[in-house]
Amino acid sequence: MKAARYYAKNDIRIEQVDAPTLRPGTVAIDVAWCGICGTDLHEYLDGPIFIPAPGHPHPISGEEAPITMGHEFSGTITAVGEGVTDLEVGQNVVVEPYIVGPDVSTGPGESYQLSENMNFIGLGGHGGGLSEKVVVERRWVHPIGDIPLDVAALIEPLSVGHHAFVRSGAKAGDTALIGGAGPIGLLLAAVLKAEGLTVFISELSQARKEKATSTGVADHVLDPSEVDVVAKVRELTGGNGVDVGFECSSVNVVLDTLLDAVRPGGVVVNVSIWGHPATVDMQKLVLKEIDLRGTIAYANDHPATIKLVQDGKVDLAPFITGKIALDDLVSKGFDTLINHNDTQVKILVHP
Ligand SMILES: [Zn+2]
């Protein structure tokens, strides 16, 4: 079968590889669509980061580069392994793309995203969505009912937004400021709107501001080059500031803005991945008793996230900005996202 394999920085190849084989407790899936993620771009430009470098096999998967990529994917079940009794051939599904140790429990309430050596299918090994077929453990497979397979490829990044929402402790009626309207900022905004929050987004890029407005995921889009975001947020929240802030840009000045924009006793959730240390004005944290929280990926968020889409509370279609073939992954996918990043939200690949 055809697969996109990461060899090294700036070296991704579309190659023929052996199709994965079904084992007891696993599910075989024909991949329909796979999104390209910012993490994939980081691997391409600056990696390997999550991808195990040659000579350093991942402790759980045992694999090292070259690695098949793709962790945001949907598909159709083609076979179920021995012992899998609650899924059937022909069902459309998405994969929660984790690699965790075999002894790590993934039941309700378990924080398996924090387990030792956690990695992701499509980064740490175990195949990936940028290939024609994948075989994964039953526990990572989530049926999607009649959700179209293209929009379903966005359930993985939407689950990242859902987990950030859960981490924030926010509830319906609360106000939120999201710093940065990239793919994760926009999808997080979609979750917050669906959950009944009032959403402010701070963003500089014209294209992203337009997307935040046209999709209806933001109640107020604020451009820090045009308005004093903190003053505007205070004005629109009766002088208090927002209940929660979400850092989705990995830009220090945005983090500073969020610390100023949340109300006393408010919460700031850091959603972005930082490639460098940030500075935090701790006195702001102290004097307002702000909770600054981390969030990584998701844990038991997929069922609730899928339900938001099934119930029509989140419309993912407007976030798909391109569809390409696997052979064009680098020329039309990565290159577009690297050179015209702000015009794109999610490019889907059809393997
Ligand atoms: Zn991703």
Side-chain angles (χ1 to χ4, degrees):
M1 67 169 188
K2 216 185 264 185
R5 300 216 299 163
Y6 181 99
Y7 277 75
K9 182 176 164 175
N10 291 315
D11 185 2
I12 293 173
R13 304 178 201 174
I14 312 298
E15 298 184 320
Q16 287 293 326
V17 298
D18 292 338
T21 48
L22 193 67
R23 305 175 306 278
T26 66
V27 176
I29 297 164
D30 261 4
V31 178
W33 293 99
C34 181
I36 306 173
C37 169
T39 305
D40 300 324
L41 294 184
H42 281 300
E43 296 287 351
Y44 182 67
L45 293 171
D46 306 315
I49 303 163
F50 282 96
I51 293 175
H56 299 85
H58 185 261
I60 299 168
S61 74
E63 296 176 53
E64 58 188 63
I67 286 273
T68 298
M69 296 188 79
H71 59 272
E72 306 182 354
F73 57 98
S74 61
T76 305
I77 295 178
T78 57
V80 295
E82 189 188 319
V84 178
T85 55
D86 56 347
L87 290 173
E88 52 190 63
V89 171
Q91 262 183 309
N92 288 344
V93 297
V94 291
V95 169
E96 181 181 354
Y98 269 121
I99 298 172
V100 300
D103 301 335
V104 173
S105 170
T106 48
E110 300 284 356
S111 295
Y112 49 94
Q113 80 281 24
L114 306 180
S115 61
E116 196 178 6
N117 294 317
M118 177 278 284
N119 206 312
F120 298 93
I121 295 169
L123 289 165
H126 290 183
L130 289 170
S131 72
E132 293 175 58
K133 299 166 191 294
V134 69
V135 170
V136 302
E137 288 174 54
R138 162 64 189 95
R139 57 180 170 174
W140 306 127
V141 180
H142 299 275
I144 55 169
D146 57 3
I147 296 174
L149 283 163
D150 57 351
V151 301
L154 276 72
I155 285 171
E156 193 268 358
L158 190 68
S159 297
V160 173
H162 188 271
H163 190 63
F165 159 70
V166 171
R167 286 285 296 144
S168 77
K171 58 191 185 308
D174 283 353
T175 52
L177 172 62
I178 297 173
I184 290 296
L186 288 169
L187 292 172
L188 166 61
V191 171
L192 298 182
K193 280 300 288 177
E195 297 287 350
L197 278 78
T198 300
V199 179
F200 303 82
I201 290 187
S202 161
E203 172 61 50
L204 285 168
S205 144
Q206 188 61 31
R208 287 180 169 178
K209 286 192 293 182
E210 280 168 21
K211 203 64 169 178
T213 304
S214 67
T215 54
V217 297
D219 296 281
H220 304 275
V221 179
L222 308 173
D223 183 335
S225 73
E226 294 170 358
V227 298
D228 180 336
V229 171
V230 173
K232 193 71 189 168
V233 162
R234 287 217 182 114
E235 179 193 320
L236 291 166
T237 53
N240 295 328
V242 288
D243 298 298
V244 289
F246 295 91
E247 208 302 301
C248 298
S249 68
S250 63
V251 173
N252 214 130
V253 68
V254 175
L255 178 60
D256 299 338
T257 299
L258 292 168
L259 293 171
D260 284 329
V262 293
R263 64 168 168 76
V267 173
V268 173
V269 180
N270 177 76
V271 191
S272 48
I273 304 278
W274 291 71
H276 55 91
T279 61
V280 178
D281 186 342
M282 293 304 284
Q283 198 64 355
K284 289 178 182 171
L285 199 106
V286 167
L287 292 175
K288 285 163 74 177
E289 293 195 349
I290 294 169
D291 276 1
L292 179 57
R293 297 179 188 168
T295 176
I296 177 72
Y298 26 70
N300 288 306
D301 289 278
H302 274 68
T305 307
I306 289 166
K307 191 165 185 327
L308 287 179
V309 180
Q310 249 161 0
D311 293 349
K313 290 185 175 169
V314 171
D315 178 12
L316 288 169
F319 300 108
I320 301 172
T321 49
K323 287 183 174 177
I324 61 173
L326 186 59
D327 285 328
D328 299 326
L329 176 69
V330 173
S331 62
K332 291 187 182 161
F334 281 69
D335 282 356
T336 303
L337 290 170
I338 289 161
N339 299 314
H340 309 283
N341 187 24
D342 71 338
T343 64
Q344 300 295 324
V345 183
K346 194 56 73 177
I347 295 177
L348 298 185
V349 181
H350 183 55

